[in-house]
Amino acid sequence: MAQIIRFKTKQQLETEKAGRVMREWEAHLEWEDENWHKVVDREAEEQSLSQEDIEWLNEWVKKND
């Protein structure tokens, strides 16, 4: 006896995909909420360039442009 294979419609596939995307975004937003302080701390640790470094980079860009 032959088995009937049921295929999903395009609408069903799109609905499943939309649900999956929403779950991924929710997980990402939860991760951001839990780890926002790490991002802020990392930004605070960054140091600005000295004037000497800026001048050197500008000269290097002019030479290699």
Side-chain angles (χ1 to χ4, degrees):
M1 181 170 190
Q3 290 183 343
I4 298 174
I5 301 173
R6 298 191 183 266
F7 293 99
K8 294 182 179 181
T9 64
K10 184 176 181 179
Q11 184 178 6
Q12 288 172 320
L13 293 172
E14 289 176 352
T15 302
E16 288 178 3
K17 183 178 179 182
R20 187 169 48 252
V21 169
M22 288 175 55
R23 285 190 301 274
E24 289 172 359
W25 267 105
E26 288 172 352
H28 177 73
L29 293 174
E30 288 175 8
W31 180 90
E32 278 187 343
D33 286 343
E34 294 169 1
N35 297 295
W36 66 268
H37 60 280
K38 293 180 184 177
V39 174
V40 172
D41 291 344
R42 190 177 322 133
E43 289 176 0
E45 291 174 4
E46 292 179 2
Q47 299 175 356
S48 61
L49 295 174
S50 68
Q51 188 62 34
E52 182 180 328
D53 292 335
I54 293 171
E55 290 172 4
W56 181 87
L57 285 169
N58 285 334
E59 289 176 20
W60 186 86
V61 168
K62 287 177 185 176
K63 283 191 238 178
N64 296 303
D65 193 17

